[in-house]
């Protein structure tokens, strides 16, 4: 190949042998290069950009265009089209000037210098190609990640089975997987030994897994919570000793706001290992209360009054209807079990319904002559124990009388027989 180039260079030199001819050809090459590089190339690149944009718009359908619109706009904001245009023109100008330089050096008999520079140029072209391919891969991964986010958001909007937590987690997993794949591909383009890198990453993963077992446990528990869905954001839940509203769910923690306005963060591994009570899941909640009436009062009458009171409270649902039944014998009263529903279930509705029920039932029972007795206790003793205690008391009183009779009076010993 080099021999053929040398023969051609010799032929050119034989045709243009005089210095004046070489100067004329050199001037023509320079003028042609400047005219093409500074005048024609920018216009050609602009026309090609418009043609490519029109072709892409015709190629993609409406749904794909809507999905990629946000990503393309973001990419344009980060990398302006003017920068890309200048970059393309600059690369083409460099290539054109390089060809012009090779032609001039060959014309003046410096072809050996061109041959010596060829390996450097080849390496530069290889590195440039690798840079371009890497940029295309990373830019494409960036655009596709936004497309995935838009697609998952549309899928979540069309389906009630995907929660906001699941949408966020699926989007992040897909984006991380895509970026990892793009990064591995870029490393392969640059000739990095992926085998050794993966082995090192495996050992590093083992070390990190042993050092962060609790963190990994919370991470895995976050995935379990995502698929099991025991609660959602905004639900009124009780997790172990913590009770409140769920404000956020992440892969690592569950965030709650309790009734005192405190911000509570519970690790997901603790959430997965404790009993979870979701009071918002069914859309209504049943409340239990107990009230005691005297043993001399009529339980049926008291139950009827209690049901009538519960039915008239605004915060208590009438379907199913509230009811009161005698549930057992207490230490001082007959116990009535009051059961009613609140809809929707909120802490405010629970507190207000119970407080209103206590106030109104107490007043209605007082008007009807039904007592709510205090705790009472009666202590009794068997007859044998009572007689023995009386005997002991008489003996103790006799001993006390003897002791008082034996006390000295005016310095003389009192006669016990008196």
């Amino acid at each position: 190949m080099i021999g053929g180039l040398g023969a051609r260079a010799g032929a050119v030199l034989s045709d243009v042998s005089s210095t004046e001819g070489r100067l004329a050809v050199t001037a023509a090459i320079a003028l042609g290069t400047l005219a093409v590089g500074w005048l024609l190339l920018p216009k050609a690149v602009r026309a090609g950009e418009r043609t490519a944009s029109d072709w892409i718009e015709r190629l993609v359908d409406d749904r794909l265009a809507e999905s990629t619109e946000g990503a393309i706009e973001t990419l344009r904001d980060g990398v302006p089209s003017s920068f890309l245009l200048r970059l393309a023109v600059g690369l083409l100008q460099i290539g054109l000037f390089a060809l012009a330089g090779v032609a001039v050096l060959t014309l003046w008999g410096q072809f050996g210098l061109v041959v010596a520079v060829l390996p450097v140029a080849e390496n530069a072209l290889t590195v440039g190609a690798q840079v371009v391919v890497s940029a295309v891969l990373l830019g494409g991964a960036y655009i596709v990640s936004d497309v995935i986010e838009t697609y998952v958001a549309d899928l979540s909007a069309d389906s009630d089975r995907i929660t906001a937590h699941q949408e966020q987690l699926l989007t992040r997993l897909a984006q991380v997987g895509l970026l990892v794949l793009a990064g591995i591909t870029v490393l392969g383009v640059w000739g990095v030994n992926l085998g050794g890198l993966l082995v090192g990453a495996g050992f590093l993963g083992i070390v990190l897994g042993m050092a962060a077992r609790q963190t990994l446990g919370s991470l895995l528990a976050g995935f379990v919570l995502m698929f099991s869905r025991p609660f959602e954001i905004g639900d009124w839940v009780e997790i172990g000793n913590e009770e409140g509203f769920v404000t956020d769910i992440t892969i690592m923690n569950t965030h709650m706001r309790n009734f005192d306005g405190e911000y509570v963060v519970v690790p997901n591994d603790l959430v997965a290992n404790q009993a979870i009570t979701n009071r918002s899941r069914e859309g209504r909640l049943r409340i239990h209360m107990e009230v005691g009436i005297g043993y001399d009062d009529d339980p049926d009458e008291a139950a009827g009054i209690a049901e009538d009171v519960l039915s008239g409270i605004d915060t208590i649902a009438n379907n199913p209807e509230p009811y009161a039944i005698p549930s057992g014998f207490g230490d001082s009263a007959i116990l009535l079990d009051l059961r009613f529903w609140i809809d929707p279930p909120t802490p405010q509705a629970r507190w207000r319904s119970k407080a209103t029920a206590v106030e109104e039932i107490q007043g209605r029972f007082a008007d009807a002559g039904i007592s709510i007795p205090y705790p009472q206790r009666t202590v009794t003793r068997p007859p044998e124990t009572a007689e023995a205690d009386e005997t002991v008391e008489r003996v103790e009183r006799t001993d006390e009388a003897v002791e008082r009779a034996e006390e000295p009076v005016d310095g003389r010993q009192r006669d016990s027989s008196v």
Side-chain angles (χ1 to χ4, degrees), residues 360-373:
E360 296 192 6
I361 288 176
Q362 182 184 17
R364 292 286 299 275
F365 278 7
D367 295 339
I370 299 175
S371 62
I372 302 177

Side-chain angles (χ1 to χ4, degrees), residues 405 414-418:
R414 178 180 292 176
D415 188 358
S416 59
S417 61
V418 176

Side-chain angles (χ1 to χ4, degrees), residues 45-373:
V45 170
R46 292 190 184 95
E49 183 185 15
R50 289 193 296 267
T51 303
S53 300
D54 296 339
W55 179 76
I56 290 174
E57 290 179 359
R58 290 193 302 269
L59 180 63
V60 298
D61 56 4
D62 295 338
R63 182 174 179 83
L64 186 59
E66 293 176 358
S67 302
T68 57
E69 183 178 0
I72 293 175
E73 291 297 330
T74 304
L75 186 62
R76 286 177 179 175
D77 294 339
V79 184
S81 59
S82 59
F83 171 77
L84 296 176
L85 181 62
R86 289 195 297 269
L87 180 62
V89 171
L91 292 175
L92 292 175
Q93 287 176 343
I94 290 174
L96 181 62
F97 293 155
L99 291 176
V102 170
V104 171
L105 290 175
T106 304
L107 178 64
W108 288 91
Q110 301 296 326
F111 188 74
L113 180 60
V114 175
V115 173
V117 173
L118 280 179
V120 178
E122 183 179 1
N123 291 334
L125 290 175
T126 302
V127 173
Q130 290 174 336
V131 171
V132 171
V133 172
S134 300
V136 170
L137 287 173
L138 294 178
Y142 179 74
I143 294 176
V144 173
S145 66
D146 278 359
V147 174
I148 291 175
E149 183 176 2
T150 304
Y151 176 76
V152 174
D154 294 339
L155 185 64
S156 175
D158 297 337
S159 175
D160 296 335
R161 298 181 60 85
I162 300 178
T163 63
H165 174 49
Q166 291 175 334
E167 175 187 346
Q168 180 183 8
L169 189 55
L170 288 175
T171 301
R172 294 295 178 264
L173 286 177
Q175 289 177 340
V176 169
L178 180 64
L179 292 178
V180 169
L181 181 61
I184 292 175
T185 306
V186 169
L187 292 177
V189 169
W190 287 92
V192 178
N193 185 8
L194 298 178
L197 184 63
L198 292 177
V199 171
F203 282 109
L204 180 62
I206 293 175
V207 173
L208 292 178
M210 296 296 294
R213 288 176 294 179
Q214 184 174 0
T215 303
L216 291 177
S218 297
L219 181 64
L220 295 177
F223 285 102
V224 173
L225 292 176
M226 183 194 72
F227 290 106
S228 61
R229 297 175 58 186
F231 50 79
E232 299 177 3
I233 295 176
D235 284 354
W236 171 18
V237 299
E238 181 179 354
I239 303 174
N241 296 326
E242 300 294 340
E243 183 178 3
F245 293 97
V246 178
T247 58
D248 191 16
I249 306 172
T250 65
I251 300 179
M252 302 298 298
N253 302 307
T254 296
H255 303 257
M256 299 174 57
R257 177 175 54 83
N258 62 18
F259 303 143
D260 295 330
E262 298 173 336
Y263 182 73
V264 181
V265 179
V266 184
N268 285 335
D269 58 338
L270 298 180
V271 176
N273 293 328
Q274 297 187 86
I276 301 174
T277 303
N278 191 336
R279 295 190 170 91
S280 300
R281 175 59 61 89
E282 298 300 328
R284 58 182 182 175
L285 181 67
R286 188 169 69 175
I287 307 298
H288 291 263
M289 291 179 59
E290 279 190 347
V291 59
I293 62 174
Y295 277 97
D296 297 331
D297 298 322
D298 185 4
D300 293 335
E301 181 185 2
I305 294 175
E307 291 177 357
D308 183 62
V309 170
L310 295 176
S311 300
I313 299 176
D314 296 336
T315 54
I316 295 178
N318 292 324
N319 186 17
E321 296 181 354
Y323 62 92
I325 57 174
S327 60
F329 297 98
D331 294 337
S332 304
I334 297 177
L335 301 178
L336 297 180
D337 186 10
L338 312 181
R339 300 184 183 185
F340 54 89
W341 295 83
I342 56 174
D343 183 13
T346 61
Q348 293 81 2
R350 181 179 64 175
W351 299 332
R352 290 173 183 172
S353 60
K354 294 178 70 173
T356 305
V358 169
E359 293 176 359
E360 296 192 6
I361 288 176
Q362 182 184 17
R364 292 286 299 275
F365 278 7
D367 295 339
I370 299 175
S371 62
I372 302 177

